[in-house]
Amino acid sequence: MGPHDSAAYPEQYRNRRNPSGELRHYFDLYSNVRPAKNRVGIKGVVEDTDLVIFRENTEGFYCDRNMYSGTGEWQITEDIVVSTGVFTRTATERIAHEAFRMAMQRRKKVTIVHKANVIKLGTGLFKNVLEIASQYPEVQVDDYHIDAMTAHLVRRAKDFDVIVTENMFGDILSDLTGELVGSLGLAPSINTNDKMAMAQAAHGSAPDIAGQNIANPVGIILSTVMLMEWLSARHSDEQLKHVSERMEEALLETMKKGIMTRDLQGTASTT
């Protein structure tokens, strides 16, 4: 799915669920997987970082996605607005399993991000991920409050492996990690459930640079690489794995040569 930005929509469409939210909701694409990794030749704020954020994709504070119908927000009076946040054990546990399964293939470390010191019942459910941890005894587990986690990522991003959190926190943290390793324009993601996946770059559509041929296409290309990897694993298809590897190698070799867009201090166009 191509990048889009709700704020750039015509006025009459802005109060509806955007296409990304609609597809995630309709197909129950509950797992948003957002990696962040330092790449050779690209200067980031941090170094030696290779982490993956698992963002719960259907509930939390994103009101348009946690309602069966309606947007989940109400303007009670001219001066009062109520927004809902929904958290369920089912959603929390299934994203936790996704995170732990990935950790078993990586450095076997999971970090839970929540705000259970204040939002005790809601994001507190994410601390219950610790119960899931007992099923993965090889995985080391720790947890941080969302505000502290932003500081830890800036100071020592390389120490983290797999991060699991709720919808809004995951959205914020993945934008942060994208910039930390070089540019949000590099940031890929896939949205998945047990049966299907949708590739989608983590960034929006950047309407302020529309038509200038300077947008960074790397995020959507790497998202396609992730989709090929997901399909390869699901269907045990080595050819698809080969396709994903060739795509990523070609992309990285191109950037090593200095062929990059402006957000990476390059001069190349999108084309």
Side-chain angles (χ1 to χ4, degrees):
M1 183 174 186
H4 69 278
D5 187 335
S6 302
Y9 282 9
E11 186 67 37
Q12 66 266 34
Y13 297 111
R14 292 183 190 176
N15 291 328
R16 305 180 190 178
R17 184 158 48 212
N18 65 41
S20 173
E22 188 66 41
L23 287 168
R24 294 175 188 182
H25 182 85
Y26 183 84
F27 291 109
D28 196 27
L29 300 171
Y30 65 84
S31 178
N32 190 199
V33 188
R34 296 187 166 191
K37 183 178 181 179
N38 282 113
R39 306 285 186 176
V40 176
I42 296 174
K43 182 174 176 56
V45 179
V46 297
E47 298 178 345
D48 303 320
T49 296
D50 182 1
L51 59 82
V52 181
I53 294 174
F54 277 79
R55 168 193 176 196
E56 201 292 311
N57 219 10
T58 64
E59 296 185 341
F61 294 116
Y62 280 16
C63 306
D64 65 333
R65 293 178 203 164
N66 63 32
M67 293 284 108
Y68 174 72
S69 64
T71 61
E73 287 194 305
W74 302 273
Q75 186 160 4
I76 309 303
T77 72
E78 184 178 349
D79 302 311
I80 299 174
V81 172
V82 175
S83 300
T84 60
V86 174
F87 305 86
T88 66
R89 183 176 296 276
T90 297
T92 303
E93 290 185 351
R94 65 184 183 177
I95 193 67
H97 280 296
E98 291 287 303
F100 276 98
R101 283 192 285 265
M102 175 64 78
M104 288 294 293
Q105 301 173 35
R106 291 172 50 91
R107 304 198 306 272
K108 297 183 178 179
K109 182 177 180 181
V110 168
T111 299
I112 307 161
V113 179
H114 56 84
K115 190 62 177 171
N117 60 328
V118 176
I119 310 169
K120 300 179 186 294
L121 298 179
T123 72
L125 269 180
F126 272 82
K127 288 200 72 175
N128 293 341
V129 170
L130 293 167
E131 299 172 10
I132 303 298
S134 63
Q135 301 178 39
Y136 304 86
E138 297 176 51
V139 178
Q140 177 187 348
V141 183
D142 57 11
D143 69 283
Y144 293 96
H145 297 143
I146 177 63
D147 46 342
M149 187 62 181
T150 58
H152 284 296
L153 283 170
V154 172
R155 185 178 294 274
R156 55 185 190 91
K158 65 181 180 181
D159 294 340
F160 296 97
D161 181 20
V162 175
I163 298 168
V164 60
T165 189
E166 66 90 34
N167 204 337
M168 183 181 291
F169 295 167
D171 201 6
I172 294 168
L173 290 179
S174 58
D175 276 19
L176 172 62
T177 55
E179 283 295 324
L180 287 176
V181 298
S183 170
L184 186 56
L186 298 172
S189 81
I190 55 171
N191 306 270
T192 75
N193 57 28
D194 301 326
K195 299 178 181 179
M196 62 188 76
M198 176 176 73
Q200 181 184 30
H203 56 74
S205 60
D208 57 314
I209 59 171
Q212 298 179 42
N213 201 24
I214 60 173
N216 191 341
V218 173
I220 194 66
I221 297 172
L222 287 176
S223 299
T224 310
V225 168
M226 291 182 70
L227 181 61
M228 294 297 106
E229 291 172 342
W230 185 89
L231 287 166
S232 170
R234 176 167 174 77
H235 299 290
S236 301
D237 189 328
E238 286 300 311
Q239 288 183 309
L240 285 173
K241 182 174 175 58
H242 180 62
V243 168
S244 70
E245 290 171 347
R246 288 292 301 278
M247 289 177 66
E248 186 167 18
E249 287 167 7
L251 185 63
L252 297 181
E253 284 300 317
T254 299
M255 292 194 293
K256 282 180 187 177
K257 295 175 183 177
I259 302 173
M260 295 180 282
T261 45
R262 293 185 191 179
D263 56 310
L264 299 173
Q265 286 73 57
T267 58
S269 67
T270 309
T271 306

